[in-house]
Amino acid sequence: MFTMTKFLKILIIACIIFYAGFMSGCTNTTNADDEQIFLNVSYDPTRELYAAYDEKFKVHWEKKLRHGKINLTQSHGGSGKQAHKVIKGDLEADVVTLALAYDVIEIKNAGLIRGGWQNEFPDNSSPYTSTIVFLVRNGNPKNIRDWDDLARDDVEIVMPNPKTSGGAQWGYLAAWEYATQKFSADENVIKDFMRRIFMNVVALDSGARGSTLSFVQEGKGDVLISWENEALLSLKDHPDNYEIVTPSISILAEPTVAVVDKIVEKKGTSELATEYLKYLYSDEGQEIAAQNFYRPRNRKILAKYEHIFKPLKLFNIDDAFGGWVTAHKKHFADGASFDQVTAGIRF
């Protein structure tokens, strides 16, 4: 006999099953094959790096550590734009591997990453480094040798936009420090120097990879202000078409990585996210970084690639600018030096 008691039991069981299915759908941690879905939100030039890295890490996680299957995905774009998408919730990043620490700080300030994130991994959570160089056309027809050559009237420049690109901010600060040393820190003269450089910009793309395509594929400009790794990749692909010029001084660029704590706690991927970033420091991870033209932190592995990575005179952002928070406020916030330098210039 079908009683009210039996009806209520059936109803309760149905509700429990529905709720479990609903919550499973909300966490979005698995797909139909029971793979954990994992997102690394990165910046423009790291596409090749993480494509190679993910293949090795998948073997490390699933076979060597005997964990379950994972589906590793990536998102790339200008570092600043990527950070804003994570903050807005457009990208549910398990980890971020961005061009500069300030972008990660912005995500932390939005409540998605815990304080002290930069101490969670070695070397201030920067597993590899790079710098800013010039990529010029074969033979260097404009004889570009240093930052002051970029201010000449006969030079056309391609570079990304410092408002959206981390690489562009590293480049801007490298030029600023060069001018600071050359002009005895006279800020009016420095700003005039920077303005003359930006008056020569013929393509200001949102990200570093877009700038490389403008210079290499579209043939714009005489010089690309470039990440070293992007320049080396272009030289590898087109050895007869381009040359790399290393300026007399440049900046030690330290891209940083972090677990997005609020997201991984919701998805249940904390262990996976931590191991994913930790493995970047392994010998295999460092080799992959070097093979993709990033300077590995491991000195022995770096020494193996000394024929690729030329010694450069580099300064760091803490010594020259007092760290990223101070540098951003002075140079890249609304109304700061970049806006002042480029006022009235149409790109």
Side-chain angles (χ1 to χ4, degrees):
M1 183 176 180
F2 190 77
T3 64
M4 181 60 70
T5 300
K6 288 183 178 180
F7 174 77
L8 289 174
K9 287 182 178 179
I10 293 170
L11 182 62
I12 290 169
I13 292 170
C15 288
I16 291 172
I17 293 171
F18 174 80
Y19 180 76
F22 175 77
M23 291 305 293
S24 176
C26 286
T27 57
N28 194 33
T29 59
T30 61
N31 59 21
D33 298 320
D34 293 325
E35 292 179 325
Q36 280 189 304
I37 300 172
F38 183 89
L39 176 60
N40 170 15
V41 172
S42 197
Y43 62 108
D44 254 344
T46 60
R47 300 167 194 268
E48 295 80 10
L49 166 63
Y50 283 107
Y53 179 77
D54 284 359
E55 287 186 14
K56 297 294 185 181
F57 179 77
K58 187 176 176 69
V59 173
H60 168 73
W61 180 260
E62 294 180 356
K63 295 185 178 180
K64 293 185 178 179
L65 298 185
R66 300 182 182 276
H67 284 288
K69 293 182 179 180
I70 49 174
N71 182 358
L72 302 174
T73 61
Q74 304 174 35
S75 174
H76 298 271
S79 187
K81 290 182 69 175
Q82 292 289 84
H84 291 151
K85 286 181 180 179
V86 173
I87 291 167
K88 287 165 56 181
D90 296 338
L91 293 171
E92 284 207 330
D94 295 83
V95 299
V96 289
T97 56
L98 296 174
L100 42 88
Y102 186 80
D103 292 329
V104 185
I105 292 169
E106 289 278 89
I107 299 171
K108 177 193 75 72
N109 290 343
L112 298 177
I113 295 175
R114 287 192 295 265
W117 64 271
Q118 210 160 2
N119 297 319
E120 290 189 9
F121 300 97
D123 300 307
N124 292 320
S125 291
S126 174
Y128 43 78
T129 69
S130 191
T131 188
I132 302 299
V133 299
F134 307 149
L135 186 67
V136 299
R137 306 200 183 278
N138 191 39
N140 194 5
K142 292 295 179 75
N143 194 30
I144 295 166
R145 301 297 176 190
D146 215 339
W147 292 102
D148 49 3
D149 291 315
L150 304 187
R152 290 177 3 216
D153 293 339
D154 64 329
V155 172
E156 292 186 343
I157 299 168
V158 175
M159 66 174 294
N161 189 338
K163 286 291 189 177
T164 54
S165 166
Q169 291 192 19
W170 288 114
Y172 183 95
L173 295 178
W176 186 281
E177 178 62 16
Y178 171 85
T180 297
Q181 294 185 20
K182 181 169 183 174
F183 303 121
S184 304
D186 186 326
E187 194 152 307
N188 289 328
V189 179
I190 295 168
K191 286 182 178 179
D192 178 69
F193 174 79
M194 296 296 290
R195 182 172 178 81
R196 285 188 285 123
I197 288 177
F198 278 93
M199 287 180 68
N200 289 339
V201 173
V202 295
L204 195 70
D205 295 281
S206 63
R209 181 55 57 87
S211 290
T212 301
L213 294 177
S214 291
F215 186 75
V216 172
Q217 292 191 1
E218 299 176 25
K220 295 180 180 178
D222 303 305
V223 56
L224 172 68
I225 302 178
S226 174
W227 284 104
E228 179 184 49
N229 49 279
E230 278 286 276
L232 287 167
L233 180 61
S234 297
L235 200 61
K236 175 189 173 185
D237 292 340
H238 309 280
D240 298 325
N241 295 348
Y242 305 102
E243 297 178 14
I244 293 175
V245 174
T246 54
S248 62
I249 185 173
S250 195
I251 193 166
L252 175 65
E254 299 180 290
T256 44
V257 302
V259 174
V260 185
D261 299 296
K262 190 171 182 179
I263 300 300
V264 298
E265 288 165 5
K266 181 179 76 169
K267 293 174 62 177
T269 54
S270 294
E271 182 184 2
L272 171 57
T274 299
E275 185 64 24
Y276 184 85
L277 297 184
K278 179 181 175 183
Y279 194 64
L280 286 167
Y281 293 88
S282 69
D283 286 352
E284 193 164 39
Q286 293 285 284
E287 285 278 358
I288 294 168
Q291 290 162 8
N292 286 273
F293 306 119
Y294 294 83
R295 296 185 179 225
R297 290 289 194 175
N298 185 307
R299 292 183 180 181
K300 290 183 178 179
I301 293 175
L302 177 61
K304 289 172 58 178
Y305 294 87
E306 62 181 4
H307 60 289
I308 295 175
F309 301 114
K310 296 180 179 179
L312 297 169
K313 181 182 178 183
L314 303 176
F315 65 90
N316 67 59
I317 191 169
D318 291 336
D319 292 341
F321 296 96
W324 264 113
V325 173
T326 302
H328 186 273
K329 182 178 180 180
K330 179 178 175 63
H331 296 288
F332 307 116
D334 290 342
S337 78
F338 173 71
D339 286 345
Q340 296 166 23
V341 163
T342 59
I345 299 176
R346 297 183 64 181
F347 297 108

